[in-house]
Amino acid sequence: MTCDRIRNQLGAFADRELSATERSAVEEHLRSCEKCREEMARLERLASTVQESVIPEVPAGLAARIVARGQTQLASPKPRRLLHIDWWEALPSTMRAAAVIVLMVGLSVGTWLGWNSAGVTRVPMVAATVPDPDPASSIHADYLSDSPGGSPAEVYLTLAAPTDGGR
């Protein structure tokens, strides 16, 4: 048997929980392995220390006091708030007001942008049976066709356009 397996069984060996076969295998290994004997001696010292230790007496009425306190807390529960955010309450009122203003402005601008983009007509995606030679229209990037000369959009469209040599 390996030392790892024996060390995993030493606790059960000390507590006499192993079968006779397992117990004899552990005893045989302990005769030949110094490290495992040291581990077994450490476990035996620990067991004797636990057995010699004095268990303190439980104070009279402890269980009754615990039950009474639990019943008191159950009888008068603390009011629960819907959102209890300690860090928000720790902020000065001016910072809280500023945060609310920033939030309202952000929501207003986002709503305004959403309404303005809602009027844009969208081209429905339809499966094409014939490949389109214009890459801008195949990826619905037709808005790039009006880009100024030398812009990244024009460079992309130039590089993405099919060449006659590829056919």
Side-chain angles (χ1 to χ4, degrees):
M1 284 191 158
T2 65
C3 289
D4 289 337
R5 187 166 177 199
I6 293 295
R7 285 185 183 151
N8 286 336
Q9 292 182 335
L10 286 180
F13 178 80
D15 293 337
R16 302 187 194 288
E17 295 174 348
L18 296 178
S19 67
T21 307
E22 292 172 325
R23 187 166 183 78
S24 64
V26 171
E27 287 172 346
E28 182 180 330
H29 182 84
L30 287 175
R31 281 188 220 107
S32 63
C33 181
E34 179 66 28
K35 288 185 178 184
C36 290
R37 275 196 309 268
E38 290 173 3
E39 183 68 22
M40 186 64 200
R42 189 184 67 77
L43 280 174
E44 288 172 344
R45 284 192 307 272
L46 177 65
S48 67
T49 303
V50 169
Q51 287 176 351
E52 293 170 0
S53 64
V54 177
I55 299 173
E57 288 188 30
V58 177
L62 177 65
R65 288 195 309 263
I66 292 172
V67 170
R69 178 174 278 178
Q71 289 174 344
T72 303
Q73 288 181 352
L74 286 176
S76 60
K78 295 178 182 175
R80 292 185 174 234
R81 295 174 13 192
L82 184 59
L83 290 174
H84 184 72
I85 305 172
D86 291 334
W87 61 267
W88 179 256
E89 293 173 356
L91 291 175
S93 60
T94 54
M95 288 184 78
R96 284 189 269 172
V100 169
I101 290 170
V102 168
L103 178 66
M104 295 305 295
V105 168
L107 288 173
S108 299
V109 169
T111 303
W112 180 76
L113 288 173
W115 283 335
N116 284 344
S117 66
V120 175
T121 58
R122 306 228 187 270
V123 177
M125 298 287 277
V126 178
T129 55
V130 178
D132 193 356
D134 183 18
S137 64
S138 67
I139 60 169
H140 301 289
D142 51 345
Y143 63 91
L144 296 175
S145 61
D146 297 333
S147 58
S151 70
E154 183 190 38
V155 172
Y156 170 74
L157 290 175
T158 304
L159 293 173
T163 61
D164 292 335
R167 289 185 183 204

